[in-house]
Amino acid sequence: MKITAVEAIPYSIDYLKPLKFASGEVHAAEHVLVRVHTDDGIVGVADAPPRPFTYGETQRGMVAVIETIFAPQIIGLTLNEREIVHARFSRTVGNPVAKAAVDMAIWDALGRTLDVSVTDLLGGYTDRMRVSHMLGFDTPEAMVDEATRMRETYGIEVFKVKVGRRPVSLDTAVVRALREGLGDDVELYVDGNRGWSASESARAMNDMSDLGLTLAEELCPADDVLGRRWLVGQLNVPFVADESAVTPAEVTREILSGSATAVSIKTARSGFTGSRRTHHLCEGLGVEVVMGNQIDGQLGSTCTVAFGSAFELTSRRAGELSNFLDMSDDLLTEPLDIRDGVLTVRPGSGLGVEIDPDKLARYRLDL
């Protein structure tokens, strides 16, 4: 069970259409496939999606930090020594997504070694989650059409709507169109990616007060300390800390300071080890949790549903699990299947997935 090698393979797969939001836009999945090898021939896998506009990481930077800093620190450790891995990675500032991918690949390798699923290793609460689909910037008509297609094709009844444009009426009109087009039975919530000021956020939420929204995420920057506390104090829905609460310490700061009332956990940026810490903290504080999406491919979505299904708290709400549907292709041998608005944990050991070698050869960038 000793780690003998760590690979970081850059690849790129185009999106069928760009996903646009307040802090940037994505036209291709320019990710890094991480593979952790052990001395008994086991290979664990995970995906690292760089988001330079959020965490400052790039594809080339993640390959470099994994190959030159993280891999040498953990080669020779066993798969059970995950706390040592965490402690050694913590000595390097930043790089959350690169750290997370190595961590999750280790968990996958451990599950494969023990012939146990990662979900069961983590907690085994259930084997499925309801799915929330994320809608990027577009016209009201196009966004209603996309939501309708997701509902009719995959049974998805929960939608996260990207907002944060100026004037705010651009986005409030979209959310109103979605409510009118989809009816009252569909759950809608909004994510601003820090695009508005606190006053703009308050005005937008007031304009949408009759639309039955269930959550509001990162409408304004956490660095606008007093403005954000003022905003959160007047909302009648939970305010979700996402990119402002990557670590347990940041979660504690945002919740106890009154700058948020709920938390998004993203395995792509905190792995399984860090996400478990955040989950237990939120459970202890009585804070609601959403399993978020880092514009993940199918491997990333597999990791999210594996973790979210493991605990009662993380499985309560729909997880953001479907944006791989916007990709033109993927690396898995067997694609994920959303049915009746639900994604189930893959059967088998570890994460239950395999990488298609032909597709990896086609899309990798380092050959």
Side-chain angles (χ1 to χ4, degrees):
M1 289 175 60
K2 284 190 176 181
I3 298 170
T4 57
V6 180
E7 291 182 276
I9 304 171
Y11 70 92
S12 180
I13 299 176
D14 288 339
Y15 278 85
L16 296 170
K17 65 179 183 64
L19 181 64
K20 300 179 180 181
F21 39 94
S23 58
E25 57 184 69
V26 175
H27 295 260
E30 296 178 337
H31 295 184
V32 177
L33 175 68
V34 174
R35 297 199 287 204
V36 169
H37 298 254
T38 70
D39 58 356
D40 53 1
I42 296 294
V43 181
V45 298
D47 199 37
R51 296 292 168 254
F53 37 75
T54 305
Y55 309 110
E57 292 173 285
T58 65
Q59 186 182 57
R60 291 178 64 183
M62 289 199 300
V63 171
V65 77
I66 291 171
E67 290 182 343
T68 64
I69 297 179
F70 296 152
Q73 290 180 336
I74 67 173
I75 289 174
L77 295 178
T78 71
L79 299 176
N80 283 330
E81 294 176 302
R82 296 179 304 283
E83 286 297 307
I84 297 177
V85 173
H86 179 79
R88 290 182 179 178
F89 283 4
S90 295
R91 297 185 303 209
T92 300
V93 176
N95 299 281
V97 179
K99 294 173 182 176
V102 177
D103 173 80
M104 292 189 290
I106 291 172
W107 277 89
D108 181 40
L110 179 63
R112 292 170 189 261
T113 300
L114 300 176
D115 194 23
V116 178
S117 74
V118 167
T119 298
D120 286 343
L121 282 175
L122 288 166
Y125 180 75
T126 183
D127 67 347
R128 64 196 59 215
M129 289 187 72
R130 291 183 300 123
V131 174
S132 169
H133 184 70
M134 190 161 60
L135 299 167
F137 291 161
D138 212 323
T139 65
E141 296 78 15
M143 293 175 71
V144 171
D145 286 346
E146 180 180 352
T148 300
R149 177 170 56 85
M150 291 295 165
R151 188 183 194 185
E152 293 176 349
T153 305
Y154 302 102
I156 296 173
E157 298 276 353
V158 184
F159 296 93
K160 173 178 179 173
V161 188
K162 290 293 189 179
V163 297
R165 293 178 289 183
R166 293 185 172 95
V168 300
S169 57
L170 287 172
D171 292 326
T172 58
V174 164
V175 180
R176 189 165 298 279
L178 286 165
R179 176 58 73 207
E180 293 173 354
L182 300 174
D184 293 336
D185 294 335
V186 164
E187 180 181 346
L188 298 175
Y189 60 104
V190 293
D191 175 15
N193 290 111
R194 315 175 308 281
W196 288 329
S197 67
S199 60
E200 288 171 325
S201 302
R203 184 164 68 254
M205 291 301 292
N206 183 64
D207 290 346
M208 298 185 291
S209 61
D210 61 326
L211 300 181
L213 301 181
T214 57
L215 300 167
E217 180 178 311
E218 296 286 5
L219 297 181
C220 62
D223 287 346
D224 297 344
V225 178
L226 295 181
R228 180 142 146 174
R229 291 179 189 172
W230 168 81
L231 172 66
V232 172
Q234 62 182 286
L235 294 183
N236 61 0
V237 297
F239 188 98
V240 182
D242 178 14
E243 54 263 40
S244 64
V246 176
T247 67
E250 290 169 343
V251 169
T252 302
R253 179 196 65 200
E254 293 302 294
I255 296 299
L256 296 189
S257 70
S259 294
T261 49
V263 170
S264 175
I265 293 178
K266 291 182 177 176
T267 56
R269 68 172 179 225
S270 52
F272 295 138
T273 301
S275 295
R276 187 167 62 168
R277 282 171 159 78
T278 297
H279 160 266
H280 291 326
L281 174 62
C282 291
E283 188 178 47
L285 292 173
V287 173
E288 287 196 74
V289 166
V290 179
M291 290 305 301
N293 187 300
Q294 194 129 308
I295 321 178
D296 296 303
Q298 294 191 32
L299 180 53
S301 296
T302 298
C303 290
T304 302
V305 73
F307 184 90
S309 299
F311 305 101
E312 191 273 337
L313 176 60
T314 52
S315 62
R316 286 179 194 169
R317 288 189 172 274
E320 296 163 9
L321 300 166
S322 63
N323 280 90
F324 65 84
L325 297 171
D326 294 331
M327 291 176 61
S328 61
D329 202 354
D330 208 277
L331 298 182
L332 299 190
T333 56
E334 297 183 25
L336 301 185
D337 185 18
I338 298 172
R339 294 188 182 184
D340 299 322
V342 170
L343 184 62
T344 59
V345 174
R346 298 298 290 265
S349 59
L351 293 170
V353 298
E354 299 296 337
I355 302 299
D356 186 318
D358 294 331
K359 290 188 176 183
L360 180 58
R362 183 187 315 160
Y363 295 117
R364 66 188 299 169
L365 302 175
D366 59 345
L367 296 179

